[in-house]
Amino acid sequence: MTAGHPPRPPRRTAAPRTRIGLWFGRPLASFHLIVTIAVLLTVLGLVMVLSASSAESFAADESGYALFTQQLIGVALGVVAFYVALRLPVRYLRKLSFPLFLVSITMLMLVLIPGIGAERQGARRWFDFGVVSFQPSELAKVALVLWGAHLLASRRSEHGNIKSLLVPLLPAGLLMCLLVVLQPNLSTAIALGIILVALLWFAGLNARLFGAVLMTGLALATVLAFTAGYRSNRVKAWLNPGEDTQGLSYQSTQAKYSLADGGMFGRGLGQSRAKWSYLPNAHNDFIFAIIGEELGMIGCLAVIGLFGLFVYTGLRIAMRSVDPFLRLLTAGATCWVFGQAMINIGYVVGLLPVTGLQLPLVSYGGTSTAITLLMFGIIASAARHEPEAIAALHAGQEGRIARALKLPLPAVFSPKRAAMARSKSTRPTLAAQDRKRLESRKSQGKDGRAARAAEPGRAARAAEPGRTRTRVSSSRTDTMVPTSAAYRGDSSRGNPRRGEPVRREPAAGSRSAYRPRPEPQPGRPPVRSGERGYRR
């Protein structure tokens, strides 16, 4: 401070936190966000499916609520799966991951057999059970992300090499993608590829190897896109959108017209014109166009904002998780849901070729909705396993939702319990690697000792009398000294005899101060000279 100038006001170190910041800082904020996003997207999906499918149901001489009823059944099953996932402990998820993966592979094989799998529109993707149908490729997504996260977490904890990270996850994932492509269902194979790439990325794979895996996947997807006629037609319609508006580009052109008709605020809920047989699959693949027509640009931005908030929450849970399994699982599932949503929105607005991927929780599809709600439940369970959330729940700060659902308290992460929960299928490979490491270390140790023993002059130096060392008492006051030091004793004490140990008195105040030997007590053995300290 200079003379004549007033003192400066103190600088602010940090801006005051807002209410939103304080709410996001709560221990269970991630859990509440995931539940809220799941509820909003599910309700929006039910409303839009009812609005977009009623006209098609009337045209098929059915009730206007036919497709809506099937979607409602899928939502009901998904809510049950969401609740089960919240109550399921993490160790059970890890135990069930590999059996679930085997079941999904078996089902993907069975659905290709005529007479077992139902064929619709030239594709064999479903199991028909009368009123309800099941699509095993949707279950394969959950199986891959669960087993992949469990496998990579186990290999990272065992300090596995790059080969252990890629094998058997990469071959098994490619096998699953191949079975899905044979249905044919390239869109779901792309979703499985997104899960596989996300798991490898968050597992810490080398950037070069990750780039090689990514480029190989893109090359395979490009080749598959031109192998079938309908796939190549979709690519041609995307590259030349205005060439055949009444043929190849008809569906994408009508979707753009619907978005344009909606404007900023939309035509109103239920007032869409494209759903009256102008836009094919309006309730399924192109439901985002109906949202844009009825709710306008505001509704489209709200949907994109919900998925963006989901990405933020999912990655936040992954960063805060202590368990590596939950970290990989949450990150992989977040990338899967967000990637599928962005691909669907991308081909509706014309940025990507049409792939047929559904908009999660919004598009029509009972199996897809139920499986996605199951995945949301697993992510919500991971949010309750954050360290701050565990502390708050064990302190009694459960909240209304947890008390209403009567959810069990999450267990604190323990590396020992996680090691016990590893699959038996990962242990033989790791045990063989450990044996190889031990054998290599033993061979290196033998070679090193042999090389040191073969050094020239080593035996002669060891035979010199001045270099021989005599072991003396191992108590704190005794030391090991060369026998040649016996001839350099103090003149006042006299030279000790050759071969006798030399006792050096420790300095005062040092840690090795001399302790008198205690008197033997009745019932206890005496202290031996070779012991360190004595029994108390």
Side-chain angles (χ1 to χ4, degrees), residues 66 75 120 123 126 135 153 157 161 169 179 218 221 260 288 321 326 378 402 407 435 478 501 533:
V75 170
R120 300 175 185 174
W126 297 271
Q135 194 171 356
S157 61
N161 51 15
L169 178 60
L179 293 175
L218 292 176
F288 187 76
S321 297
L326 291 179
I378 294 175
L407 299 177
R435 286 196 298 270
D478 296 337

Side-chain angles (χ1 to χ4, degrees), residues 51-168:
S51 175
S53 65
S54 58
E56 185 176 347
S57 298
F58 276 123
D61 297 331
E62 296 180 358
S63 171
Y65 299 95
L67 297 179
F68 172 75
T69 304
Q70 296 181 8
Q71 182 71 5
L72 194 60
I73 293 174
V75 170
L77 295 176
V79 170
V80 174
F82 186 95
Y83 181 69
V84 171
L86 279 178
R87 297 188 60 88
L88 200 62
V90 178
R91 63 179 184 274
Y92 288 160
L93 287 176
R94 302 193 71 167
K95 289 181 180 179
L96 294 175
S97 60
F98 186 66
L100 183 63
F101 181 81
L102 293 180
V103 169
S104 63
I105 290 289
T106 305
M107 295 177 71
L108 288 176
M109 293 179 179
L110 290 177
V111 79
L112 298 175
I113 301 175
I116 298 179
E119 185 176 357
R120 300 175 185 174
Q121 299 178 355
R124 199 178 299 275
R125 308 175 184 175
W126 297 271
F127 291 116
D128 260 334
F129 301 103
V131 181
V132 182
S133 60
F134 179 73
Q135 194 171 356
S137 58
E138 295 293 334
L139 181 63
K141 300 175 185 177
V142 179
L144 181 60
V145 72
L146 280 175
W147 181 64
H150 166 67
L151 184 65
L152 292 176
S154 302
R155 297 297 171 87
R156 284 176 61 86
S157 61
E158 297 282 352
H159 305 287
N161 51 15
I162 296 176
K163 182 180 178 181
S164 64
L165 292 179
L166 295 177
V167 180

Side-chain angles (χ1 to χ4, degrees), residues 227-296:
T227 53
Y230 73 96
R231 297 173 190 160
S232 59
N233 290 336
R234 290 177 177 180
V235 176
K236 292 177 183 178
W238 173 62
L239 295 176
N240 302 305
E243 183 177 355
D244 189 6
T245 56
Q246 297 298 322
L248 297 178
S249 304
Y250 176 78
Q251 194 174 20
S252 58
T253 302
Q254 292 297 324
K256 294 175 185 177
Y257 287 162
S258 301
L259 293 172
D261 289 342
M264 181 63 68
F265 300 101
R267 301 178 60 88
L269 190 62
Q271 301 300 318
S272 171
R273 297 177 181 178
K275 65 184 180 182
W276 293 93
S277 301
Y278 288 102
L279 179 61
N281 292 326
H283 61 285
N284 194 358
D285 298 342
F286 284 82
I287 198 169
F288 187 76
I290 305 300
I291 294 175
E293 185 179 4
E294 295 186 354
L295 303 181

Side-chain angles (χ1 to χ4, degrees), residues 448 450-459 461:
R452 288 193 299 270
E455 288 182 3
R458 184 178 182 88
R461 289 196 303 269

